[in-house]
């Protein structure tokens, strides 16, 4: 049960990553590799503020979110102002952020030992709410701190998802979605496609950096390697969510991204508990994403071919 709760909490935290990838990948049709750098950037900024300056965890977390906004803005400027290919823009910023993160942290890893974090506050809240360090959940004895952290992350992500859904129903949000679907039409109507893309990429990477900040506080350390390959994780979450919900609208797509992240993390936790080599995790994830991208079209083609044969025989 402890493993299940931990995987569920991490899946909810990383659903913010999935939401960021959804914005860049589905709305603007960009596989933004900046994600790999901005997630670590958010964790690094938060870690330095917590450990070196004793900043309150809430403000440190907001600073991590702001760091992601900056990273996404730089990527957007490269694409819109300098006309650099979106893929290359993401690679450039992601590569640069690796060195930036090292400079920010001053080393490759920062442990959060002995400093106040959201996790430590959850320990205090858990002991206060449940009256003990452990509590009974469905017949299982689990940590009060882990249960409180799960509840807090669920409330936070639900609130962000609701705000994001409301935003995409506003005039600005609708214009952003339209600029991703048909930029020529938006330009003809007088819309600023470049500005919409810039804002969208900044928001996407802000959410990713927020996920990195929360993840670092949950595991009590920030590491310069923690963001490597996370774009694949985000894509997997978005694709799983679309397969489950059909992604008929923005609301379902947002819910699907969250569910996909949680389900994917649970599947990883189950696989690890059954002896999967952690070194193979990135490879298995990449293979899974490849299959998820290819199989729907393959099934559709096979179904169409079978229908044609059935009509001929009839």
């Amino acid at each position: 049960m402890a493993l299940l709760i931990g995987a569920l909490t991490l899946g909810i935290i990383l659903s913010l990553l999935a939401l960021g990838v959804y914005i860049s990948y589905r709305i603007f049709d960009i596989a933004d590799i900046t994600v790999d750098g901005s997630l670590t950037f958010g964790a690094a900024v938060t870690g330095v503020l917590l450990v070196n300056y004793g900043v309150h965890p809430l403000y440190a977390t907001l600073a991590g979110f702001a760091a992601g906004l900056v990273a996404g803005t730089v990527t957007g400027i490269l694409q819109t102002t300098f006309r650099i290919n979106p893929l290359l823009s993401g690679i450039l910023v992601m590569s640069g952020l690796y060195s930036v993160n090292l400079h920010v942290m001053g080393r490759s890893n920062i442990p959060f030992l002995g400093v106040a974090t959201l996790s430590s506050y959850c320990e205090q809240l858990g002991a206060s709410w449940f009256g003990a360090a452990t509590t009974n959940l469905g017949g299982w004895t689990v940590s009060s701190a882990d249960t409180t952290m799960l509840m807090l992350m669920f409330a936070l992500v639900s609130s962000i998802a609701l705000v994001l859904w409301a935003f995409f129903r506003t005039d600005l949000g609708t214009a952003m979605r339209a600029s991703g679907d048909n930029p020529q039409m938006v330009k003809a109507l007088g819309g600023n496609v470049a500005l919409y893309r810039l804002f969208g990429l900044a928001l996407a990477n802000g959410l990713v950096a927020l996920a990195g900040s929360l993840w670092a506080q949950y595991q009590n350390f920030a590491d310069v390697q923690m963001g490597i390959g996370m774009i694949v994780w985000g894509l997997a979450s978005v694709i799983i969510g679309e397969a489950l919900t059909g992604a008929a609208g923005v609301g379902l797509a947002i819910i699907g991204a969250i569910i996909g992240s949680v389900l994917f993390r649970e599947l990883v936790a189950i696989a690890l508990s059954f002896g999967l080599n952690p070194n193979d995790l990135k490879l298995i994830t990449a293979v899974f994403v490849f299959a998820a991208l290819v199989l729907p079209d393959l099934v559709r083609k096979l179904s169409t071919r079978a229908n044609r044969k059935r009509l001929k025989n009839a």
Side-chain angles (χ1 to χ4, degrees):
M1 180 56 71
L3 178 64
L4 181 65
I5 290 179
L8 184 59
T9 303
L10 186 55
I12 292 175
I13 290 173
L14 291 179
S15 65
L16 295 173
L17 164 71
L19 291 176
V21 172
Y22 165 75
I23 294 173
S24 59
Y25 182 62
R26 283 308 184 202
I27 292 182
F28 295 103
D29 197 24
I30 300 171
D32 185 20
I33 305 180
T34 310
V35 164
D36 286 12
S38 59
L39 182 134
T40 309
F41 194 27
V45 170
T46 298
V48 168
L49 291 177
L50 289 174
V51 175
N52 295 350
Y53 299 99
V55 176
H56 191 281
L58 177 59
Y59 299 139
T61 302
L62 292 176
F65 172 71
L69 293 178
V70 173
T73 300
V74 173
T75 301
I77 290 174
L78 291 180
Q79 293 182 23
T80 58
T81 303
F82 296 99
R83 306 295 181 185
I84 298 177
N85 179 276
L87 180 61
L88 292 177
S89 299
I91 293 173
L92 287 173
V93 177
M94 181 266 293
S95 300
L97 280 176
Y98 187 86
S99 296
V100 170
N101 291 330
L102 283 174
H103 281 292
V104 169
M105 293 193 293
R107 50 190 169 177
S108 61
N109 184 286
I110 297 181
F112 295 173
L113 300 177
V115 300
T117 63
L118 291 180
S119 294
S120 64
Y121 280 151
C122 284
E123 291 181 8
Q124 299 173 12
L125 286 175
S128 174
W129 288 349
F130 297 102
T134 60
T135 185
N136 186 283
L137 186 64
W140 299 82
T141 301
V142 296
S143 168
S144 299
D146 291 343
T147 305
T148 306
M149 188 71 175
L150 174 60
M151 294 167 58
L152 177 63
M153 291 301 103
F154 179 78
L156 176 63
V157 171
S158 298
S159 301
I160 292 174
L162 184 61
V163 171
L164 198 61
W165 171 76
F167 168 73
F168 280 123
R169 291 173 62 87
T170 63
D171 292 341
L172 176 58
T174 303
M176 285 176 57
R177 291 160 52 199
S179 68
D181 290 335
N182 195 334
Q184 288 78 19
M185 181 194 72
V186 174
K187 285 181 180 179
L189 294 174
N192 192 331
V193 175
L195 185 61
Y196 294 150
R197 173 171 293 198
L198 184 66
F199 182 78
L201 289 174
L203 177 60
N205 282 280
L207 291 173
V208 171
L210 179 59
S213 174
L214 295 173
W215 184 13
Q217 293 180 76
Y218 179 62
Q219 64 185 5
N220 278 321
F221 71 89
D223 190 275
V224 74
Q225 303 281 350
M226 63 188 293
I228 294 178
M230 295 309 294
I231 179 64
V232 180
W233 182 292
L235 290 172
S237 301
V238 171
I239 292 169
I240 291 174
E242 289 178 346
L244 293 174
T245 63
V250 176
L252 282 178
I254 291 174
I255 293 173
I258 296 173
I259 294 175
S261 176
V262 172
L263 179 59
F264 185 66
R265 182 59 201 177
E266 292 293 343
L267 292 175
V268 168
I270 292 172
L272 291 174
S273 67
F274 278 100
L276 174 69
N277 189 339
N279 293 330
D280 297 332
L281 183 58
K282 299 290 186 182
L283 176 61
I284 297 299
T285 303
V287 171
F288 178 80
V289 173
F290 171 77
L293 289 170
V294 172
L295 285 178
D297 288 337
L298 181 61
V299 171
R300 195 179 302 112
K301 289 179 181 179
L302 292 176
S303 178
T304 302
R305 191 174 300 172
N307 290 335
R308 288 177 180 174
K309 288 182 179 181
R310 195 178 299 112
L311 290 175
K312 285 183 179 179
N313 294 333

